[in-house]
Amino acid sequence: MPVPLLDVNAQNHPLETDLTAAFIRVLHSGRFILGEEVEAFEGECAAFIGAAHAVSMSSGTDALLAAFMALGIGPGDEVLCPAFTFFATAGCIARTGATPVFCDVSPESFNMDVGSAAARLTARTKAIVPVHLFGQAAEMDEITAFAAQHNLQIIEDVAQSIGATYRSSGCGTLGGMGCFSFFPSKNLGGFGDGGLVTTDDAEMAEMLRRIRNHGMHPRYFHATVGANFRMDALQCALLRVKLRHLGTYTAGRVANASDYLERLSKLPGVVLAGGDGRAARLVLPQAGAQMGHVWNQFTLRVIGSGQRDALKNHLTACGIGCEIYYPVALHHQECFRHLPAHAIQACPVSESLTGEVLSLPVYPELTAPQRDEVVAAIAEWLAPRRLG
Ligand SMILES: *Cc1c(COP(=O)(O)O)cnc(C)c1O
Protein backbone atom coordinates (compact mmCIF):
# COMPACT_ATOMS: atom_id res chain seq x y z
CA MET A 1 0.00 0.00 0.00
CA PRO A 2 1.56 3.35 -0.97
CA VAL A 3 1.83 5.88 1.89
CA PRO A 4 1.70 9.43 0.53
CA LEU A 5 3.34 12.30 2.42
CA LEU A 6 -0.06 14.04 2.44
CA ASP A 7 -3.53 13.03 1.27
CA VAL A 8 -5.79 16.10 1.00
CA ASN A 9 -8.64 14.03 -0.46
CA ALA A 10 -8.81 11.82 2.64
CA GLN A 11 -9.54 14.94 4.67
CA ASN A 12 -11.71 16.88 2.23
CA HIS A 13 -13.93 14.26 0.59
CA PRO A 14 -15.80 13.35 3.81
CA LEU A 15 -16.80 17.04 4.06
CA GLU A 16 -18.34 17.12 0.59
CA THR A 17 -21.91 17.81 1.77
CA ASP A 18 -20.92 20.70 4.04
CA LEU A 19 -18.45 22.14 1.52
CA THR A 20 -21.05 22.02 -1.22
CA ALA A 21 -23.54 23.80 1.03
CA ALA A 22 -20.96 26.51 1.75
CA PHE A 23 -20.29 26.94 -1.96
CA ILE A 24 -24.01 27.23 -2.70
CA ARG A 25 -24.42 29.78 0.10
CA VAL A 26 -21.73 32.00 -1.46
CA LEU A 27 -23.07 31.41 -4.97
CA HIS A 28 -26.53 32.52 -3.93
CA SER A 29 -25.22 35.51 -1.95
CA GLY A 30 -23.48 36.97 -5.01
CA ARG A 31 -20.94 38.49 -2.61
CA PHE A 32 -17.45 37.27 -3.54
CA ILE A 33 -15.10 39.95 -2.18
CA LEU A 34 -14.97 40.74 1.58
CA GLY A 35 -18.37 40.82 3.29
CA GLU A 36 -20.12 38.47 5.71
CA GLU A 37 -18.29 35.19 5.06
CA VAL A 38 -14.91 36.88 5.40
CA GLU A 39 -15.91 38.61 8.63
CA ALA A 40 -17.41 35.42 10.06
CA PHE A 41 -14.26 33.42 9.22
CA GLU A 42 -12.05 36.09 10.78
CA GLY A 43 -14.14 36.13 13.96
CA GLU A 44 -14.02 32.34 14.24
CA CYS A 45 -10.25 32.29 13.66
CA ALA A 46 -9.66 35.01 16.26
CA ALA A 47 -11.67 33.00 18.81
CA PHE A 48 -9.88 29.75 17.96
CA ILE A 49 -6.42 31.32 18.17
CA GLY A 50 -7.23 33.49 21.19
CA ALA A 51 -6.42 36.84 19.54
CA ALA A 52 -8.54 39.99 19.73
CA HIS A 53 -8.43 40.58 15.95
CA ALA A 54 -7.84 38.49 12.84
CA VAL A 55 -7.49 39.94 9.34
CA SER A 56 -7.60 37.47 6.44
CA MET A 57 -5.09 37.79 3.60
CA SER A 58 -4.55 36.26 0.16
CA SER A 59 -1.79 33.92 1.41
CA GLY A 60 0.60 33.34 4.29
CA THR A 61 3.23 35.16 2.29
CA ASP A 62 0.99 38.21 1.88
CA ALA A 63 0.11 38.02 5.59
CA LEU A 64 3.82 38.41 6.40
CA LEU A 65 4.29 41.16 3.84
CA ALA A 66 1.23 43.08 5.10
CA ALA A 67 2.48 42.76 8.70
CA PHE A 68 5.89 44.24 7.77
CA MET A 69 4.18 47.00 5.77
CA ALA A 70 1.88 47.81 8.70
CA LEU A 71 4.94 48.29 10.91
CA GLY A 72 6.53 50.56 8.31
CA ILE A 73 9.53 48.29 7.88
CA GLY A 74 11.54 49.24 4.81
CA PRO A 75 14.89 50.30 3.35
CA GLY A 76 17.62 50.77 5.96
CA ASP A 77 15.92 48.45 8.46
CA GLU A 78 17.14 45.02 9.48
CA VAL A 79 14.91 42.13 10.52
CA LEU A 80 16.18 39.02 12.33
CA CYS A 81 14.83 35.69 11.08
CA PRO A 82 15.95 32.06 11.12
CA ALA A 83 18.15 30.66 8.32
CA PHE A 84 16.26 27.36 8.55
CA THR A 85 12.67 28.03 7.42
CA PHE A 86 10.54 28.31 4.30
CA PHE A 87 11.70 31.04 1.93
CA ALA A 88 8.65 33.32 2.40
CA THR A 89 9.73 34.35 5.91
CA ALA A 90 12.80 36.09 4.51
CA GLY A 91 11.46 36.84 1.04
CA CYS A 92 8.83 39.18 2.52
CA ILE A 93 11.43 41.05 4.57
CA ALA A 94 13.48 41.59 1.41
CA ARG A 95 10.41 42.71 -0.55
CA THR A 96 9.85 45.63 1.85
CA GLY A 97 13.38 46.83 1.02
CA ALA A 98 14.63 45.84 4.50
CA THR A 99 17.50 43.40 5.05
CA PRO A 100 16.80 39.91 6.40
CA VAL A 101 19.53 39.02 8.91
CA PHE A 102 19.78 35.25 9.23
CA CYS A 103 20.11 33.61 12.65
CA ASP A 104 20.96 30.04 13.49
CA VAL A 105 18.54 27.56 15.06
CA SER A 106 18.54 24.92 17.77
CA PRO A 107 19.34 21.38 16.54
CA GLU A 108 16.71 20.03 18.97
CA SER A 109 13.68 22.18 18.16
CA PHE A 110 14.76 23.50 14.72
CA ASN A 111 13.66 26.93 16.01
CA MET A 112 15.49 30.22 16.36
CA ASP A 113 18.50 30.38 18.68
CA VAL A 114 18.18 33.66 20.57
CA GLY A 115 21.92 33.76 21.27
CA SER A 116 22.56 33.75 17.54
CA ALA A 117 20.01 36.55 17.08
CA ALA A 118 21.67 38.61 19.84
CA ALA A 119 25.03 38.26 18.10
CA ARG A 120 23.57 39.81 14.94
CA LEU A 121 21.81 42.80 16.52
CA THR A 122 22.74 46.23 15.13
CA ALA A 123 21.42 49.78 15.56
CA ARG A 124 19.28 49.14 12.46
CA THR A 125 17.50 46.06 13.81
CA LYS A 126 13.76 46.82 13.93
CA ALA A 127 12.04 43.47 14.26
CA ILE A 128 12.45 39.76 14.89
CA VAL A 129 10.51 36.96 13.19
CA PRO A 130 10.33 33.77 15.23
CA VAL A 131 9.05 30.92 13.06
CA HIS A 132 7.14 28.17 14.86
CA LEU A 133 8.58 25.52 12.57
CA PHE A 134 6.99 22.13 11.86
CA GLY A 135 4.17 22.76 14.37
CA GLN A 136 6.12 23.70 17.49
CA ALA A 137 6.48 27.12 19.14
CA ALA A 138 9.82 28.91 19.21
CA GLU A 139 11.31 29.83 22.62
CA MET A 140 9.01 32.82 23.05
CA ASP A 141 9.96 33.78 26.64
CA GLU A 142 13.57 34.30 25.58
CA ILE A 143 12.59 35.99 22.33
CA THR A 144 10.11 38.32 24.07
CA ALA A 145 12.68 39.33 26.69
CA PHE A 146 15.32 39.95 24.01
CA ALA A 147 12.87 41.96 21.87
CA ALA A 148 11.71 44.06 24.84
CA GLN A 149 15.29 44.82 25.83
CA HIS A 150 16.15 46.09 22.35
CA ASN A 151 12.78 47.59 21.43
CA LEU A 152 12.14 45.17 18.55
CA GLN A 153 8.76 44.34 17.04
CA ILE A 154 7.87 40.63 17.08
CA ILE A 155 6.12 39.15 14.05
CA GLU A 156 5.39 35.45 14.57
CA ASP A 157 5.43 33.21 11.49
CA VAL A 158 2.69 30.74 12.46
CA ALA A 159 2.20 29.34 8.93
CA GLN A 160 2.95 25.78 10.09
CA SER A 161 1.50 25.98 13.60
CA ILE A 162 -2.14 27.02 13.85
CA GLY A 163 -3.41 25.73 17.21
CA ALA A 164 0.07 25.25 18.70
CA THR A 165 0.63 26.60 22.21
CA TYR A 166 3.54 27.91 24.24
CA ARG A 167 3.02 27.63 28.02
CA SER A 168 -0.72 27.38 27.30
CA SER A 169 -0.87 30.54 25.15
CA GLY A 170 -1.75 30.23 21.47
CA CYS A 171 0.94 30.83 18.88
CA GLY A 172 0.00 34.02 17.08
CA THR A 173 -0.89 35.78 20.37
CA LEU A 174 2.65 35.96 21.74
CA GLY A 175 4.12 38.75 19.61
CA GLY A 176 2.72 41.95 18.13
CA MET A 177 1.30 40.07 15.14
CA GLY A 178 0.93 36.44 14.05
CA CYS A 179 0.94 35.38 10.39
CA PHE A 180 -0.90 32.22 9.33
CA SER A 181 -1.24 30.27 6.07
CA PHE A 182 -4.05 28.12 4.70
CA PHE A 183 -1.96 26.58 1.90
CA PRO A 184 -3.32 23.04 1.36
CA SER A 185 -0.40 21.34 3.16
CA LYS A 186 -0.77 23.41 6.33
CA ASN A 187 -2.72 22.14 9.36
CA LEU A 188 -5.81 24.12 8.29
CA GLY A 189 -5.49 23.46 4.56
CA GLY A 190 -7.69 25.38 2.15
CA PHE A 191 -8.75 24.97 -1.47
CA GLY A 192 -6.11 27.27 -2.87
CA ASP A 193 -4.22 30.09 -1.20
CA GLY A 194 -5.21 31.99 1.92
CA GLY A 195 -3.67 33.60 4.98
CA LEU A 196 -4.39 35.57 8.13
CA VAL A 197 -2.80 38.09 10.50
CA THR A 198 -3.73 38.16 14.20
CA THR A 199 -3.15 41.04 16.59
CA ASP A 200 -4.50 42.31 19.91
CA ASP A 201 -4.03 45.92 18.77
CA ALA A 202 -7.22 47.41 17.25
CA GLU A 203 -5.34 50.16 15.41
CA MET A 204 -2.94 47.65 13.89
CA ALA A 205 -5.90 45.51 12.79
CA GLU A 206 -7.43 48.53 11.07
CA MET A 207 -4.11 49.30 9.36
CA LEU A 208 -3.89 45.68 8.14
CA ARG A 209 -7.45 45.89 6.74
CA ARG A 210 -6.50 49.01 4.82
CA ILE A 211 -3.22 47.57 3.55
CA ARG A 212 -4.96 44.48 2.15
CA ASN A 213 -7.30 46.75 0.20
CA HIS A 214 -4.87 49.16 -1.52
CA GLY A 215 -4.46 51.30 1.59
CA MET A 216 -7.86 52.72 0.74
CA HIS A 217 -9.82 54.72 3.36
CA PRO A 218 -12.36 56.10 2.77
CA ARG A 219 -13.31 54.76 -0.66
CA TYR A 220 -10.89 56.00 -3.36
CA PHE A 221 -8.72 57.90 -0.88
CA HIS A 222 -5.25 56.49 -0.22
CA ALA A 223 -3.14 57.88 2.62
CA THR A 224 -0.86 54.81 2.43
CA VAL A 225 0.12 52.48 -0.40
CA GLY A 226 -1.39 49.04 0.07
CA ALA A 227 -2.10 46.19 -2.31
CA ASN A 228 -4.70 43.56 -3.11
CA PHE A 229 -4.12 41.02 -0.35
CA ARG A 230 -7.78 40.00 0.02
CA MET A 231 -8.87 36.43 0.68
CA ASP A 232 -11.89 35.25 -1.33
CA ALA A 233 -15.28 35.00 0.39
CA LEU A 234 -15.58 31.52 -1.13
CA GLN A 235 -12.29 30.40 0.41
CA CYS A 236 -13.45 31.78 3.79
CA ALA A 237 -16.79 29.96 3.54
CA LEU A 238 -15.07 26.65 2.72
CA LEU A 239 -12.49 27.05 5.48
CA ARG A 240 -15.22 27.79 8.03
CA VAL A 241 -16.33 24.19 7.45
CA LYS A 242 -12.82 22.84 8.09
CA LEU A 243 -12.05 25.09 11.07
CA ARG A 244 -14.78 23.24 13.01
CA HIS A 245 -12.73 20.04 12.60
CA LEU A 246 -9.28 21.48 13.27
CA GLY A 247 -9.17 20.18 16.86
CA THR A 248 -9.84 16.65 15.59
CA TYR A 249 -7.22 16.99 12.85
CA THR A 250 -4.64 18.16 15.37
CA ALA A 251 -5.47 15.27 17.71
CA GLY A 252 -4.86 12.89 14.79
CA ARG A 253 -1.44 14.42 14.08
CA VAL A 254 -0.49 14.26 17.76
CA ALA A 255 -1.57 10.59 17.98
CA ASN A 256 0.40 9.69 14.83
CA ALA A 257 3.50 11.44 16.14
CA SER A 258 3.32 9.70 19.54
CA ASP A 259 2.88 6.33 17.84
CA TYR A 260 5.99 6.97 15.71
CA LEU A 261 7.93 8.19 18.74
CA GLU A 262 7.05 5.17 20.82
CA ARG A 263 7.87 2.62 18.15
CA LEU A 264 10.82 4.24 16.41
CA SER A 265 12.59 5.04 19.70
CA LYS A 266 12.83 1.29 20.38
CA LEU A 267 14.83 0.64 17.22
CA PRO A 268 18.64 0.30 17.44
CA GLY A 269 20.56 3.49 16.68
CA VAL A 270 17.57 5.77 17.31
CA VAL A 271 17.59 8.51 19.96
CA LEU A 272 15.28 11.33 20.95
CA ALA A 273 16.26 14.94 20.28
CA GLY A 274 18.30 16.14 23.24
CA GLY A 275 19.29 12.56 24.14
CA ASP A 276 22.70 10.93 23.95
CA GLY A 277 23.63 11.39 20.31
CA ARG A 278 26.78 9.24 20.32
CA ALA A 279 26.45 6.41 17.80
CA ALA A 280 22.96 7.61 16.89
CA ARG A 281 21.83 7.07 13.31
CA LEU A 282 18.42 8.69 13.64
CA VAL A 283 17.34 11.50 15.94
CA LEU A 284 13.59 11.75 16.55
CA PRO A 285 11.82 15.10 17.02
CA GLN A 286 10.53 15.86 20.52
CA ALA A 287 7.84 18.19 21.83
CA GLY A 288 9.60 20.49 24.30
CA ALA A 289 8.32 20.97 27.85
CA GLN A 290 5.17 23.13 27.88
CA MET A 291 4.91 23.08 24.09
CA GLY A 292 1.58 22.17 22.49
CA HIS A 293 3.12 20.71 19.32
CA VAL A 294 0.69 20.36 16.37
CA TRP A 295 3.01 18.27 14.17
CA ASN A 296 2.69 19.92 10.77
CA GLN A 297 5.78 17.85 10.01
CA PHE A 298 7.42 14.88 11.72
CA THR A 299 11.04 15.57 10.93
CA LEU A 300 13.89 13.18 11.64
CA ARG A 301 17.60 13.89 11.59
CA VAL A 302 19.54 11.19 9.79
CA ILE A 303 23.13 11.24 10.98
CA GLY A 304 26.16 10.52 8.79
CA SER A 305 27.31 11.69 5.40
CA GLY A 306 24.94 10.53 2.65
CA GLN A 307 22.68 8.71 5.13
CA ARG A 308 19.69 11.03 4.82
CA ASP A 309 19.59 10.61 1.06
CA ALA A 310 20.01 6.84 1.47
CA LEU A 311 17.01 6.65 3.81
CA LYS A 312 14.98 8.90 1.50
CA ASN A 313 15.75 6.61 -1.44
CA HIS A 314 14.85 3.54 0.60
CA LEU A 315 11.49 4.98 1.73
CA THR A 316 10.70 6.15 -1.79
CA ALA A 317 11.44 2.64 -3.12
CA CYS A 318 9.03 1.29 -0.47
CA GLY A 319 6.29 3.62 -1.75
CA ILE A 320 6.49 5.92 1.28
CA GLY A 321 6.29 9.65 0.68
CA CYS A 322 8.92 11.76 2.43
CA GLU A 323 10.46 15.17 1.81
CA ILE A 324 13.40 17.36 2.71
CA TYR A 325 12.26 20.53 4.50
CA TYR A 326 14.61 22.31 3.79
CA PRO A 327 17.57 21.40 1.56
CA VAL A 328 19.21 24.88 1.45
CA ALA A 329 19.67 27.33 4.35
CA LEU A 330 18.39 30.77 3.44
CA HIS A 331 21.69 32.61 3.95
CA HIS A 332 23.04 30.40 1.16
CA GLN A 333 20.28 31.26 -1.34
CA GLU A 334 21.56 32.91 -4.48
CA CYS A 335 19.12 35.84 -4.20
CA PHE A 336 20.64 36.81 -0.83
CA ARG A 337 24.27 36.66 -1.97
CA HIS A 338 24.46 40.44 -2.30
CA LEU A 339 23.37 41.08 1.32
CA PRO A 340 25.88 42.63 3.75
CA ALA A 341 28.24 40.07 5.29
CA HIS A 342 26.75 40.24 8.80
CA ALA A 343 23.31 39.30 7.40
CA ILE A 344 24.58 36.07 5.84
CA GLN A 345 27.09 34.89 8.44
CA ALA A 346 27.65 31.18 8.92
CA CYS A 347 24.78 29.35 10.65
CA PRO A 348 26.43 25.98 11.33
CA VAL A 349 23.40 24.21 12.80
CA SER A 350 21.12 25.28 9.94
CA GLU A 351 23.77 24.23 7.44
CA SER A 352 24.12 20.74 8.92
CA LEU A 353 20.34 20.31 9.28
CA THR A 354 19.90 20.81 5.52
CA GLY A 355 21.92 17.60 5.04
CA GLU A 356 20.17 15.61 7.80
CA VAL A 357 16.45 16.34 7.86
CA LEU A 358 13.73 14.11 6.47
CA SER A 359 9.98 14.56 7.06
CA LEU A 360 7.65 11.55 7.25
CA PRO A 361 3.88 11.34 6.62
CA VAL A 362 2.02 12.48 9.78
CA TYR A 363 -1.24 13.84 8.35
CA PRO A 364 -4.34 13.16 10.50
CA GLU A 365 -5.95 10.55 8.22
CA LEU A 366 -2.87 8.32 8.14
CA THR A 367 -4.04 4.81 9.14
CA ALA A 368 -2.48 2.33 11.56
CA PRO A 369 -1.46 -0.05 8.72
CA GLN A 370 0.18 2.89 6.94
CA ARG A 371 2.14 3.82 10.08
CA ASP A 372 3.14 0.14 10.40
CA GLU A 373 4.62 0.31 6.91
CA VAL A 374 6.58 3.45 7.69
CA VAL A 375 7.99 1.96 10.91
CA ALA A 376 8.79 -1.36 9.20
CA ALA A 377 10.59 0.36 6.32
CA ILE A 378 12.73 2.38 8.72
CA ALA A 379 13.48 -0.74 10.83
CA GLU A 380 14.54 -2.57 7.66
CA TRP A 381 16.86 0.29 6.68
CA LEU A 382 18.44 0.36 10.16
CA ALA A 383 18.97 -3.43 10.31
CA PRO A 384 22.55 -4.57 9.77
CA ARG A 385 23.15 -5.14 6.07
CA ARG A 386 23.55 -8.79 5.10
CA LEU A 387 26.36 -9.56 2.71
CA GLY A 388 25.69 -11.05 -0.71
C1 LIG B 1 3.86 28.08 3.99
C2 LIG B 1 4.71 29.03 4.72
C3 LIG B 1 4.66 30.42 4.46
C4 LIG B 1 3.90 31.02 3.32
O1 LIG B 1 2.56 30.69 3.26
P1 LIG B 1 1.81 30.68 1.83
O2 LIG B 1 0.37 30.62 2.21
O3 LIG B 1 2.26 29.47 1.10
O4 LIG B 1 2.13 31.93 1.11
C5 LIG B 1 5.43 31.26 5.24
N1 LIG B 1 6.22 30.79 6.21
C6 LIG B 1 6.31 29.47 6.49
C7 LIG B 1 7.21 29.01 7.60
C8 LIG B 1 5.57 28.55 5.73
O5 LIG B 1 5.68 27.25 6.00
Side-chain angles (χ1 to χ4, degrees):
M1 170 199 348
V3 185
L5 182 61
L6 176 69
D7 182 354
V8 292
N9 290 340
Q11 184 163 93
N12 293 333
H13 289 189
L15 302 174
E16 184 170 328
T17 308
D18 288 352
L19 292 169
T20 306
F23 168 73
I24 291 173
R25 195 169 70 232
V26 175
L27 174 72
H28 290 180
S29 79
R31 183 82 204 255
F32 306 130
I33 302 291
L34 299 177
E36 246 175 62
E37 293 287 349
V38 174
E39 284 162 27
F41 176 62
E42 290 174 341
E44 288 158 14
C45 283
F48 181 87
I49 294 160
H53 308 277
V55 182
S56 60
M57 297 284 172
S58 35
S59 68
T61 303
D62 290 340
L64 284 162
L65 184 55
F68 295 131
M69 289 168 72
L71 291 172
I73 285 169
D77 297 336
E78 294 181 358
V79 179
L80 298 162
C81 72
F84 189 70
T85 174
F86 179 59
F87 178 79
T89 312
C92 293
I93 298 168
R95 281 178 64 194
T96 66
T99 301
V101 175
F102 296 104
C103 310
D104 212 352
V105 299
S106 146
E108 273 136 46
S109 67
F110 307 115
N111 280 325
M112 188 187 261
D113 172 351
V114 185
S116 172
R120 287 154 171 79
L121 188 80
T122 74
R124 293 165 176 251
T125 312
K126 290 284 152 56
I128 184 166
V129 188
V131 178
H132 307 306
L133 202 70
F134 300 150
Q136 177 164 240
E139 269 304 339
M140 290 306 292
D141 280 352
E142 290 176 24
I143 290 168
T144 307
F146 170 71
Q149 193 181 350
H150 300 286
N151 200 21
L152 307 180
Q153 303 284 346
I154 303 175
I155 300 99
E156 300 173 69
D157 183 338
V158 206
Q160 300 184 4
S161 295
I162 188 166
T165 55
Y166 178 84
R167 300 184 192 279
S168 311
S169 295
C171 288
T173 68
L174 303 159
M177 281 183 268
C179 301
F180 294 79
S181 166
F182 307 118
F183 186 82
S185 67
K186 306 297 163 95
N187 284 23
L188 181 58
F191 305 83
D193 283 306
L196 186 90
V197 184
T198 50
T199 178
D200 284 340
D201 179 335
E203 275 176 42
M204 195 54 77
E206 182 52 31
M207 179 64 100
L208 289 162
R209 278 189 206 99
R210 282 183 200 177
I211 285 170
R212 78 165 168 199
N213 200 22
H214 303 288
M216 185 161 78
H217 183 80
R219 202 168 167 77
Y220 301 127
F221 287 80
H222 304 259
T224 48
V225 177
N228 176 357
F229 294 145
R230 297 180 305 251
M231 185 169 162
D232 291 340
L234 179 58
Q235 188 67 253
C236 289
L238 297 171
L239 275 172
R240 289 180 70 195
V241 172
K242 292 194 72 175
L243 180 59
R244 295 201 288 272
H245 300 277
L246 182 53
T248 309
Y249 299 154
T250 301
R253 289 177 180 274
V254 170
N256 290 339
S258 20
D259 186 38
Y260 277 150
L261 285 170
E262 186 186 328
R263 293 157 75 194
L264 293 174
S265 63
K266 296 194 174 112
L267 299 176
V270 178
V271 300
L272 293 170
D276 181 1
R278 284 170 297 178
R281 295 181 64 198
L282 287 185
V283 181
L284 301 176
Q286 275 264 73
Q290 307 209 51
M291 300 287 189
H293 198 319
V294 297
W295 299 101
N296 179 246
Q297 300 295 339
F298 187 92
T299 303
L300 307 170
R301 288 171 58 205
V302 192
I303 310 301
S305 170
Q307 294 300 296
R308 187 270 312 278
D309 292 342
L311 178 57
K312 181 170 193 275
N313 291 339
H314 174 73
L315 294 178
T316 306
C318 295
I320 294 166
C322 54
E323 193 51 89
I324 299 167
Y325 303 118
Y326 295 91
V328 184
L330 295 183
H331 63 302
H332 285 170
Q333 293 289 353
E334 189 177 344
C335 62
F336 295 135
R337 239 180 6 196
H338 66 280
L339 292 182
H342 80 278
I344 50 173
Q345 287 174 68
C347 295
V349 175
S350 301
E351 288 157 31
S352 59
L353 287 175
T354 59
E356 293 176 347
V357 287
L358 190 64
S359 298
L360 303 180
V362 73
Y363 62 90
E365 297 75 22
L366 197 69
T367 63
Q370 287 177 312
R371 288 194 306 272
D372 291 346
E373 279 197 34
V374 175
V375 173
I378 292 173
E380 182 183 82
W381 183 77
L382 286 167
R385 304 280 190 283
R386 266 165 294 173
L387 296 171

